[in-house]
Amino acid sequence: MTLKVYADPITINCRKVLAGLKFLEADYELMPVNYFAGEHKESAYLALNPNGTLPVAQDGELLLWESNAILQYAADKVGNDEAYPAELRARADINRWLLWEASSWFPCCYVYLVENVGKPLQGGSPDEALLSAQDIEFDLRATILDQRLAGQEWLCGANPTIADIAIAAPIHMHGEAKVPLAKYPNLHRWMTKNVEALPSWLDTWVGPGFTLERPET
Ligand SMILES: N[C@@H](CCC(=O)N[C@@H](CS)C(=O)NCC(=O)O)C(=O)O
């Protein structure tokens, strides 16, 4: 059965799921929910995901929120053992990055997107004091990733896995969001040379000002 994904492709966790499903070669049907119109707070959506957050996936009777849980489920459903290996230690490693992304990396990176993209789009200006303080938080986490990526192409070894997609999502608009990536050469290389070259990533492109139309290159 094709997974129905209720999502707005511009948001971090929706892009994660859409890019991840393409990466996994899992069939899905996009059920558009407009984030900026607040459709994820309306009763019809809350009946699917009482958290009022995007995305949520539906497979028959199963309603699944939490973007990383959706990727884990889809990987197992299609049996993509390269993207989400069943081997105990490899899987534990990936699960660790997925949990860390949701609990620590996403909340940290989100601040740059809100301050440098979201607020200006709504006529406001970034809180520079908040951003300076955030640089310290970001440094802690980016250093962990930078060290991990030293000497290896992908987060969990020689090949990309769903962990790469999950960790890339919170920095998907790193240029416009002014995420200080360039200070971390391995992380920067992984994002700009590896992740951003993946067909699934290119297919789910989100551009400046949250545009979805990719200009011809
Ligand atoms: N841990 C959740 C986070 C979901 C989440 O916060 N989604 C954002 C969009 S990226 C959202 O819907 N925010 C709206 C809100 O928090 O009200 C997941 O991974 O699915």
Side-chain angles (χ1 to χ4, degrees):
M1 186 184 289
T2 300
L3 208 58
K4 281 187 180 167
V5 181
Y6 295 81
D8 184 331
I10 62 153
T11 82
I12 287 174
N13 288 299
C14 295
R15 185 176 188 187
K16 180 201 292 175
V17 164
L18 300 180
L21 293 175
K22 282 177 188 278
F23 174 68
L24 290 166
E25 299 182 10
D27 286 339
Y28 70 87
E29 181 185 358
L30 175 63
M31 312 298 284
V33 182
N34 189 319
Y35 177 80
F36 282 119
E39 287 178 3
H40 56 300
K41 303 295 180 192
E42 292 174 5
S43 54
Y45 183 83
L46 292 173
L48 302 173
N49 180 358
N51 296 289
T53 54
L54 292 162
V56 61
Q58 186 169 26
D59 192 12
E61 299 287 296
L62 176 69
L63 275 172
L64 198 56
W65 32 265
E66 283 302 321
S67 54
N68 292 335
I70 297 169
L71 293 186
Q72 290 168 308
Y73 174 74
D76 282 340
K77 185 169 166 148
V78 298
N80 193 327
D81 194 61
E82 281 188 15
Y84 190 41
E87 190 278 318
L88 195 59
R89 290 182 182 197
R91 180 154 289 208
D93 184 30
I94 293 172
N95 286 345
R96 171 257 303 278
W97 290 112
L98 298 179
L99 289 166
W100 184 79
E101 185 274 333
S103 61
S104 183
W105 181 238
F106 166 62
C108 175
C109 299
Y110 191 57
V111 174
Y112 293 93
L113 195 66
V114 170
E115 295 299 319
N116 289 327
V117 185
K119 277 193 184 173
L121 274 178
Q122 288 167 331
S125 41
D127 179 337
E128 296 301 340
L130 180 71
L131 284 167
S132 295
Q134 199 60 20
D135 285 349
I136 296 165
E137 296 296 319
F138 184 81
D139 184 62
L140 283 171
R141 292 159 181 82
T143 300
I144 291 170
L145 287 170
D146 198 57
Q147 286 172 356
R148 174 72 178 208
L149 288 161
Q152 67 184 43
E153 281 299 307
W154 299 94
L155 205 50
C156 298
N159 299 305
T161 68
I162 56 172
D164 293 281
I165 303 291
I167 295 287
I171 51 172
H172 75 144
M173 292 171 68
H174 57 90
E176 196 183 3
K178 299 187 182 139
V179 179
L181 264 198
K183 285 171 64 183
Y184 309 91
N186 303 309
L187 177 59
H188 185 261
R189 183 261 311 152
W190 164 84
M191 185 65 186
T192 59
K193 301 265 190 295
N194 291 11
V195 175
E196 289 178 353
L198 288 172
S200 55
W201 196 257
L202 292 165
D203 279 357
T204 53
W205 189 86
V206 183
F210 298 108
T211 47
L212 291 174
E213 294 298 312
R214 187 148 51 115
E216 299 288 327
T217 47

